[in-house]
């Protein structure tokens, strides 16, 4: 499947006499385009659509993005992982993630970014191996963003839940292991929150990560005895639940515990 996409893009590009440098402009790096054409990378839906738009072609006439079967498989995998986490079966969850890394589906950007993000979270949260978790998080972000230093990521638009979770993981890791990067985790949390407040993302993305970011900011400011700032983010999280009728008792209790 990935070879077919790359071959098709290369044929269209050459037929229209467009260079790789021109095709990738404002989309991705030249190296990324080269990997796609050589069958070594499957781009995200957004990148794929942008490439076909640059080529002046309708993508649906050539390729249906992820097939329905692949989407069903991906969602089933995510459900299984959520079930393991809900039952606190961490070892089973990590083994399952390791198995997924061998599946062809996880060459695609979104599934691969999800896989790396989950691995990073579990390794940081339960194995306390912050260096490995940090490297996995950076790798996850680099799938859809081209940067030479993590500081640069704050200049990018964040389009997907997986990008936001990767940045959230990095913030969490840097709180536990600040020696890995001088970047302030609070700077990252605040960046995520400010971005979510712009309401340009899908509501499901905001619902999942907004209150958790408030919780971590409140926890940080309480640890620094900055109780006024902590109270502000506690109220932000509680107000979010009140406004959206989406009450999670566990998270609410955690917020109230910090008061």
């Amino acid at each position: 499947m990935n070879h077919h996409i790359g071959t098709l893009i290369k044929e269209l590009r050459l037929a229209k006499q467009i260079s790789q440098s021109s095709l990738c402009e404002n989309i991705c790096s030249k190296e990324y385009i080269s990997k796609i054409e050589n069958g070594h990378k499957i781009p995200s839906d957004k990148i794929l659509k942008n490439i076909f738009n640059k080529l002046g072609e309708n993508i649906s006439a050539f390729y249906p993005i992820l097939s329905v079967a692949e989407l069903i498989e991906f969602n089933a995998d995510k459900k299984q992982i959520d079930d393991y986490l809900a039952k606190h079966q961490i070892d089973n969850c990590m083994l399952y993630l390791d198995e997924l890394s061998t599946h062809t589906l996880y060459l695609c950007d979104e599934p691969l970014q999800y896989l790396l993000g989950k691995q990073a979270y579990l390794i940081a949260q339960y194995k306390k191996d912050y260096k490995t978790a940090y490297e996995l998080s950076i790798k996850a972000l680099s799938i859809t963003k081209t940067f030479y230093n993590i500081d640069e990521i704050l200049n990018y638009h964040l389009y997907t839940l997986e990008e936001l979770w990767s940045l959230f993981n990095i913030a969490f890791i840097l709180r536990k292991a600040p020696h890995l990067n001088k970047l302030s985790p609070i700077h990252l949390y605040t960046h995520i929150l400010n971005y979510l407040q712009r309401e340009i993302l899908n509501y499901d993305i905001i619902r999942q990560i907004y209150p958790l970011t408030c919780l971590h900011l409140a926890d940080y400011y309480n640890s620094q005895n900055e109780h006024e700032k902590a109270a502000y983010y506690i109220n932000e999280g509680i107000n979010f639940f009140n406004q959206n009728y989406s009450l999670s008792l566990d998270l609410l209790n955690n917020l109230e515990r910090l008061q």
Side-chain angles (χ1 to χ4, degrees), residues 147-248:
F147 54 88
Y148 298 100
N149 188 299
I150 187 58
D151 296 39
E152 296 175 32
I153 200 64
L154 299 180
N155 299 323
Y156 283 83
H157 292 296
L158 303 173
Y159 290 108
T160 71
L161 177 60
E162 305 314 330
E163 289 178 344
L164 285 164
W165 275 124
S166 294
L167 197 60
F168 187 91
N169 282 340
I170 291 169
F172 173 79
I173 292 163
L174 291 181
R175 280 199 65 189
K176 302 294 184 179
H179 64 279
L180 292 173
N181 192 292
K182 64 180 181 180
L183 192 62
S184 164
I186 300 311
H187 191 179
L188 294 177
Y189 284 134
T190 305
H191 180 73
I192 292 169
L193 207 59
N194 289 341
Y195 205 80
L196 291 171
Q197 288 171 338
R198 293 167 62 188
E199 297 184 348
I200 60 175
L201 298 172
N202 181 287
Y203 174 71
D204 285 339
I205 294 177
I206 299 173
R207 176 179 57 81
Q208 291 185 58
I209 201 169
Y210 190 98
L212 194 58
T213 305
C214 288
L215 171 63
H216 279 258
L217 282 165
D219 183 49
Y220 170 79
Y221 283 118
N222 258 333
S223 71
Q224 301 298 308
N225 293 319
E226 296 188 54
H227 302 301
E228 188 173 331
K229 287 184 178 179
Y232 170 81
Y233 287 109
I234 290 168
N235 289 329
E236 278 288 297
I238 292 173
N239 288 338
F240 179 87
F241 284 125
N242 289 337
Q243 292 169 6
N244 294 286
Y245 309 100
S246 179
L247 211 53
S248 165

Side-chain angles (χ1 to χ4, degrees), residues 73-85:
E73 181 183 351
F74 183 36
N75 287 333
D77 287 336
K78 290 195 285 189
K79 183 178 184 304
Q80 179 62 73
I81 290 165
D82 287 342
D83 287 344
Y84 280 137
L85 291 176

Side-chain angles (χ1 to χ4, degrees), residues 12-111:
L12 290 170
R13 179 177 64 78
L14 293 176
K16 295 171 182 288
Q17 298 183 333
I18 299 174
S19 68
Q20 287 185 337
S21 298
S22 296
L23 182 58
C24 73
E25 189 175 357
N26 296 323
I27 298 176
C28 59
S29 67
K30 183 179 176 181
E31 291 77 10
Y32 196 89
I33 288 288
S34 181
K35 287 182 179 180
I36 294 170
E37 292 188 351
N38 290 327
H40 297 150
K41 179 65 69 175
I42 299 177
S44 66
D45 292 357
K46 181 175 181 61
I47 289 177
L48 198 57
K49 288 175 183 176
N50 285 339
I51 288 172
F52 273 76
N53 285 340
K54 184 72 74 73
L55 290 168
E57 299 287 351
N58 182 353
I59 187 174
S60 62
F62 298 94
Y63 182 67
I65 315 295
L66 280 179
S67 70
V68 173
E70 286 172 327
L71 190 57
I72 291 172
E73 181 183 351
F74 183 36
N75 287 333
D77 287 336
K78 290 195 285 189
K79 183 178 184 304
Q80 179 62 73
I81 290 165
D82 287 342
D83 287 344
Y84 280 137
L85 291 176
K87 296 173 183 176
H88 211 69
Q89 297 176 354
I90 305 306
D91 289 338
N92 287 341
C93 189
M94 295 190 78
L95 285 172
Y96 193 77
L97 289 168
D98 286 341
E99 291 173 3
L100 291 182
S101 65
T102 66
H103 293 194
T104 303
L105 173 61
Y106 289 86
L107 290 173
C108 301
D109 282 354
E110 183 183 355

